[in-house]
Amino acid sequence: MNIQSIELRASNVNKYPAKQHAQAVASKLRESDGLIYLLGQYEFTLEDSDMSKTWRQRRYFYYCSGVDVPNCCLTYDLKTDDLTLYIPEIKPERVLWTGRGPTLKEARETYDIDSVRLNGQLFSDLDRWKEQNPTSTFFILHKEQRPVDKSFPNVDSDKLLPAIDACRVIKDSHEIALIRKANEISTIAHRAVLKHIQRFKNESQIEGIFTDACISKKAKQSYGVIAGSGENASMLHYMKNDEPLKGRQFVCLDAGAEVECYASDVTRTFPISAGTWPSQEAKKIYSIVETMQESCIARLKPGVKMFDLHVLAHQLAIDGLLKLGILHNASPTELYAMGTSKGFFPHGLGHHVGLEVHDVLGIPILRYEERISSVADAVLSLPLSTLDQPELEEGMVITIEPGIYFSRYELERAYLSSPIHSKYINRDILDRYWAVGGVRIEDDILITADGYENLTTAPKGEAAFEIIRNGADSRSLEELYE
């Protein structure tokens, strides 16, 4: 029996629009002929070990193939409009250990491609194409990704990546559906955390139940779970997740599910127990961040510049911190000019979401140069709109994720020790806020023709508090994830 002919049970699925994506990339290249070559991710073992590294498909390959299988590659002929997938030969001696990949027939039925070949046929196919197209260009993502032992007279490693980036920035309906599904599963996982938070003793339990909820719905993690409690919430990408919760006010949970390679990116900040405000300081900071996010989201629509919303978020942060007395001795305009608010809101307002949680930019969604002047450190100052700013477009999916943080290390290192910034920060009042740690609220937003749609439905604010107050009931974990 030819093992290549064994068939798996096919399921009725809506095919990922790989051919449409390849054609869109070709239009961005603006070339009449040539061959695009994309390399999928191959499997490797860990150094000095026979254990495999965690495998993750290359996203540029996936965008033009929809194939989440190891050891594949892809070609697309610009002149003939032929999209060809190359898959590994099935090795009978490995099937017992790791199973087998798709057969040629299964791959043709599963993926939106024109033809399927075996990896062993790639080099002869490339030789044939080169003979038939001696002056055409061979497009690759990176110089090191050209096929081994193959020379081509015209190789271009500069144009393909920006062409795919430009396409990936605008999501089609299939991609939006996957991001929406990822957000739905993220909501289930965030709700599971809220239901159980009063029982938890350690940050590790937060990570555990979130991951469990996602896996139970056949989803992966878009990125490592960030479950920072207390002052750990002031670290933007804190992933240790191993400290006790006792005596701490807030948890900043930044965690999102991934569905069929598409990410979600969701952050919620909530009290650890009782479903009430752990302190007036915590309540006031949360209110400021809530206002920052709601005000920015309300302004989203095509033509709006993300940079302008980033500036608005800083202005709202400055206003709020002035009212609390944390900032003083200057007007809002002066504080913005000095960049002191960056000590409390040090990151950008948002980014694209898609095949990567921080998806490709094409043109960076927040383009800015650091101010360099005699009165402000370039590292600390806020961006000035000195460059042409890109506008939001229909079909983009972006995050809106303002935050206010009390990083003891960073504020003491770069701000409280600065003769410029220290005079604008009231240390006596600031000392009352260290325990808050940090507050971030993040949603994934689809830009529509006339505004926006918030794809994130995870509870926040009072809705999250209500879930915490009610706590977990006697139902099984499986029922809780429904």
Side-chain angles (χ1 to χ4, degrees):
M1 179 186 298
N2 182 356
I3 195 168
Q4 195 74 35
S5 68
I6 299 175
E7 296 183 13
L8 296 173
R9 181 180 298 174
S11 59
N12 294 321
V13 295
N14 182 20
K15 288 185 179 181
Y16 182 87
K19 184 65 177 285
Q20 174 185 312
H21 289 175
Q23 291 170 335
V25 171
S27 70
K28 294 294 183 182
L29 282 174
R30 298 180 180 178
E31 300 281 351
S32 59
D33 65 359
L35 190 72
I36 292 173
Y37 173 74
L38 288 169
L39 187 64
Q41 183 61 58
Y42 278 62
E43 293 177 300
F44 297 97
T45 56
L46 295 165
E47 185 178 3
D48 301 325
S49 173
D50 64 354
M51 300 302 294
S52 297
K53 290 183 178 180
T54 300
W55 182 85
R56 183 180 187 268
Q57 186 60 281
R58 284 182 165 132
R59 274 15 188 189
Y60 288 90
F61 170 83
Y62 187 87
Y63 184 75
C64 292
S65 70
V67 177
D68 197 24
V69 175
N71 310 327
C72 300
C73 59
L74 185 80
T75 62
Y76 178 64
D77 193 317
L78 302 180
K79 183 165 57 178
T80 64
D81 188 34
D82 183 75
L83 185 64
T84 302
L85 172 67
Y86 292 85
I87 63 175
E89 295 83 351
I90 292 173
K91 298 180 179 180
E93 68 274 14
R94 296 302 303 167
V95 173
L96 174 65
W97 294 93
T98 59
R100 68 166 180 83
T103 64
L104 296 172
K105 182 175 185 293
E106 290 164 354
R108 278 192 295 270
E109 293 174 348
T110 302
Y111 306 116
D112 182 27
I113 39 85
D114 297 307
S115 55
V116 185
R117 307 271 285 168
L118 296 175
N119 282 343
Q121 300 171 297
L122 173 66
F123 283 1
S124 60
D125 288 354
L126 291 179
D127 284 337
R128 187 179 308 108
W129 179 84
K130 184 170 61 172
E131 291 174 3
Q132 296 173 351
N133 303 272
T135 62
S136 296
T137 303
F138 188 72
F139 294 98
I140 56 178
L141 278 179
H142 307 291
K143 291 179 180 179
E144 62 272 16
Q145 288 185 2
R146 77 170 64 205
V148 178
D149 297 330
K150 289 294 162 187
S151 61
F152 295 87
N154 302 304
V155 177
D156 187 294
S157 59
D158 297 319
K159 295 181 180 178
L160 182 56
L161 189 145
I164 300 179
D165 283 354
C167 295
R168 283 175 56 180
V169 164
I170 305 299
K171 275 62 179 180
D172 57 40
S173 59
H174 192 101
E175 295 178 286
I176 292 168
L178 291 176
I179 298 172
R180 191 190 309 278
K181 181 64 175 179
N183 268 277
E184 290 171 355
I185 296 174
S186 294
T187 295
I188 291 170
H190 275 274
R191 289 180 66 90
V193 171
L194 294 172
K195 284 176 176 289
H196 289 82
I197 189 63
Q198 293 190 70
R199 300 178 179 180
F200 290 163
K201 306 296 184 184
N202 195 283
E203 295 166 344
S204 60
Q205 293 173 287
I206 298 173
E207 178 180 3
I209 198 169
F210 189 95
T211 304
D212 178 62
C214 292
I215 293 173
S216 297
K217 291 296 182 180
K218 301 179 181 179
K220 300 177 181 179
Q221 300 299 297
S222 296
Y223 50 97
V225 172
I226 299 167
S229 64
E231 292 196 32
N232 292 338
S234 69
M235 287 180 270
L236 304 182
H237 287 173
Y238 170 84
M239 292 186 188
K240 255 181 8 97
N241 303 338
D242 63 356
E243 294 192 9
L245 301 176
K246 186 176 180 180
R248 298 182 177 181
Q249 297 190 18
F250 268 152
V251 168
C252 182
L253 176 59
D254 187 338
E258 176 188 299
V259 172
E260 295 180 33
C261 294
Y262 278 82
S264 61
D265 192 0
V266 181
T267 306
R268 294 293 183 258
T269 306
F270 48 86
I272 291 172
S273 63
T276 58
W277 295 108
S279 68
Q280 284 301 304
E281 288 79 13
K283 180 179 181 180
K284 291 171 182 176
I285 296 301
Y286 190 95
S287 178
I288 294 172
V289 177
E290 187 176 52
T291 298
M292 292 164 68
Q293 195 201 36
E294 291 176 352
S295 298
C296 291
I297 289 177
R299 289 166 170 77
L300 291 172
K301 63 181 179 180
V304 169
K305 295 180 178 180
M306 192 72 165
F307 177 85
D308 293 336
L309 299 181
H310 179 77
V311 170
L312 172 63
H314 266 282
Q315 291 171 337
L316 292 169
I318 290 169
D319 289 344
L321 294 174
L322 276 171
K323 289 177 182 177
L324 297 183
I326 296 172
L327 296 179
H328 66 169
N329 292 337
S331 68
T333 301
E334 291 170 328
L335 287 167
Y336 179 82
M338 289 299 100
T340 307
S341 60
K342 194 171 182 181
F344 301 91
F345 178 26
H347 57 76
L349 179 64
H351 53 80
H352 292 288
V353 178
L355 284 168
E356 297 285 357
V357 66
H358 297 156
D359 210 20
V360 295
L361 298 174
I363 299 174
I365 197 171
L366 276 172
R367 298 180 66 190
Y368 57 84
E369 294 176 334
E370 297 288 359
R371 179 189 298 113
I372 300 176
S373 74
S374 60
V375 295
D377 188 308
V379 175
L380 306 180
S381 61
L382 285 167
L384 282 175
S385 185
T386 57
L387 301 173
D388 291 337
Q389 296 298 323
E391 296 179 349
L392 296 177
E393 299 178 42
E394 181 182 359
M396 288 181 172
V397 179
I398 62 169
T399 65
I400 297 295
E401 51 176 307
I404 290 179
Y405 311 87
F406 299 93
S407 171
R408 191 184 298 269
Y409 173 84
E410 184 64 10
L411 285 169
E412 290 180 345
R413 180 194 70 84
Y415 290 84
L416 294 172
S417 62
S418 164
I420 297 170
H421 297 286
S422 60
K423 61 186 176 183
Y424 302 125
I425 301 174
N426 187 324
R427 180 61 187 260
D428 291 337
I429 294 180
L430 174 63
D431 284 343
R432 304 206 301 260
Y433 286 84
W434 296 121
V436 175
V439 174
R440 180 166 66 253
I441 311 173
E442 178 181 22
D443 291 351
D444 301 339
I445 312 293
L446 168 66
I447 305 301
T448 62
D450 56 358
Y452 68 90
E453 178 188 351
N454 193 334
L455 301 178
T456 301
T457 56
K460 55 184 173 180
E462 183 54 38
F465 283 25
E466 184 64 23
I467 294 172
I468 295 171
R469 282 192 289 268
N470 291 336
D473 52 32
S474 59
R475 292 181 298 165
S476 68
L477 286 179
E478 182 178 351
E479 290 174 316
L480 288 171
Y481 297 154
E482 292 180 351

